[in-house]
Amino acid sequence: MMRAITIPEFGGAEVLRLDERPVPEPGPGQVSIDVAYAGANFAEILFRRGIADVPLPFVPGIEVSGRVRALGPDVDGLSPGQPVAALTIVDGGGYAEVVVTSADLVAPIDGAGLAPAVAAAVPSNSTTAFFALDRVARIEPGESVLVHAAAGGLGSQLGQAARLLGAGRVVGTVGSAAKTAIAKGFGYDEVVLRDELPSRVAGLTGGKGFDIVVDMVGGPARRTSLDALGPLGRMIVLGNASAAEDVPLSPNELWLSTKTVAGFNLGAHSGVRPAEIGRALRRAVAAAASGDLRVQVEELPLEEAAEAHRRIESGGTTGKLALKV
């Protein structure tokens, strides 16, 4: 048996329970991992609220660091005891002492010099940042990029990834003035209050509009994002952290304005094309290991998973929270 945080019923952070569960065993193409740290993410809050359809009781946790425990059949390139960072997003399970995931979604970190807590904070947000900008937005050198929620876990990585991928100007938005300096520390050229963005776009872009806008906030920010794009601009939707009602967008408007709207869901794509996501994961790990990508992490013990969820839901977090397992 092993310790694990479970969701026995949907609800607030108080429903999370520290429980005992059977130790999972890897199947074909899978590995099991002795977990050192599990990243805490907004996605796990969606699981807990019942917004994402998961079977109960459910062990959340979409990313971990630790050591390979065992290999399933048909797994090459990994060995027991090897330190790794991994995505566990397809079936969850990261808030536990042992987790099983596809070998394609595992990145070795031996010799990388990454602290285990940092390694646990890379797989979800950093991988999403590189994949969404490179493969979905198809960023070109010199393009301008706007990122909402620039001080958060994902926003902190998107600005840096945009710069590493050749962006010419990277601007972030934040919900409060207190987060402005924090966001600037993640490499943004300029950071503005989200409510002030409509009046600032022309000045920020020389009247051209942004080439790429990344929105994981939703609600009014969705409309503002589309309006902030210039011709041939691309809006990439990565979430709906505001939990606002969906914002209708007109295909005719996209046609007439020559704009594109695309979405990316890391969990969905990991399930159908894990090898593609695995390549982006290893790219993100390499960037973090080299120091090109800064990952800010605060640790909490596994037993305080509910506190981590409350802090993420409050919108007051910056960088990432990692649970020490």
Side-chain angles (χ1 to χ4, degrees), residues 9 62 128 235 254-255 293 300-301 306 322:
E9 59 182 310
I62 67 172
T128 295
M235 178 170 77
L254 301 180
W255 160 50
L293 194 70
L300 290 173

Side-chain angles (χ1 to χ4, degrees), residues 42 147-149 154 173 175 194-195 197 213-226 235-249 261:
F42 192 79
V147 177
H148 290 297
L154 180 52
T173 76
R194 198 150 45 246
D195 290 344
L197 179 63
V213 177
V214 185
D215 176 27
M216 50 284 210
V217 175
R222 201 79 90 213
R223 180 72 251 178
T224 302
S225 298
L226 188 62
M235 178 170 77
I236 310 303
V237 178
L238 296 183
N240 186 35
S242 66
E245 291 294 323
D246 203 6
V247 177
L249 299 175
V261 177

Side-chain angles (χ1 to χ4, degrees), residues 3-287:
R3 294 184 310 141
I5 295 292
T6 65
I7 302 171
E9 59 182 310
F10 298 126
E14 70 280 356
V15 305
L16 296 176
R17 293 285 182 271
L18 183 62
D19 202 352
E20 286 200 341
R21 304 275 292 178
V23 174
E25 297 294 337
Q30 295 182 321
V31 301
S32 61
I33 298 170
D34 287 316
V35 179
Y37 285 85
N41 297 274
F42 192 79
E44 291 128 14
I45 292 169
L46 300 181
F47 300 151
R48 196 203 68 226
R49 291 175 179 172
I51 295 172
D53 186 21
V54 296
L56 299 179
F58 183 73
V59 179
I62 67 172
E63 60 182 343
V64 302
S65 67
R67 290 182 178 271
V68 174
R69 178 185 180 92
L71 307 177
D74 305 319
V75 174
D76 297 315
L78 297 168
S79 58
Q82 188 174 22
V84 294
L87 275 167
T88 54
I89 194 168
V90 177
D91 297 310
Y95 289 14
E97 291 179 318
V98 182
V99 67
V100 166
T101 192
S102 167
D104 285 334
L105 298 175
V106 176
I109 58 171
D110 33 337
L114 281 179
V118 174
V122 168
S124 174
N125 289 337
S126 306
T127 301
T128 295
F130 277 108
F131 195 92
L133 288 167
D134 185 21
R135 296 294 306 281
V136 184
R138 301 189 183 278
I139 188 171
E140 295 286 343
E143 288 193 313
S144 59
V145 179
L146 174 72
V147 177
H148 290 297
L154 180 52
S156 70
Q157 301 302 287
L158 280 160
Q160 297 180 80
R163 184 76 67 209
L164 292 172
L165 291 169
R169 181 166 174 76
V170 187
V171 177
T173 76
V174 291
S176 66
K179 293 184 177 182
T180 301
I182 296 168
K184 284 185 177 179
F186 290 115
Y188 287 94
D189 293 307
E190 192 159 355
V191 178
V192 300
L193 291 176
R194 198 150 45 246
D195 290 344
E196 296 178 358
L197 179 63
S199 64
R200 300 286 305 278
V201 171
L204 291 168
T205 64
K208 298 178 181 179
F210 288 96
D211 296 303
I212 297 170
V213 177
V214 185
D215 176 27
M216 50 284 210
V217 175
R222 201 79 90 213
R223 180 72 251 178
T224 302
S225 298
L226 188 62
D227 292 341
L229 289 172
L232 294 180
R234 292 89 76 198
M235 178 170 77
I236 310 303
V237 178
L238 296 183
N240 186 35
S242 66
E245 291 294 323
D246 203 6
V247 177
L249 299 175
S250 166
N252 281 345
E253 180 183 355
L254 301 180
W255 160 50
L256 292 168
S257 61
T258 319
K259 297 177 182 180
T260 298
V261 177
F264 175 66
N265 184 290
L266 181 64
H269 204 69
S270 296
V272 295
R273 295 187 176 179
E276 283 189 4
I277 297 300
R279 287 192 289 272
L281 167 62
R282 290 185 286 277
R283 183 180 196 176
V285 165

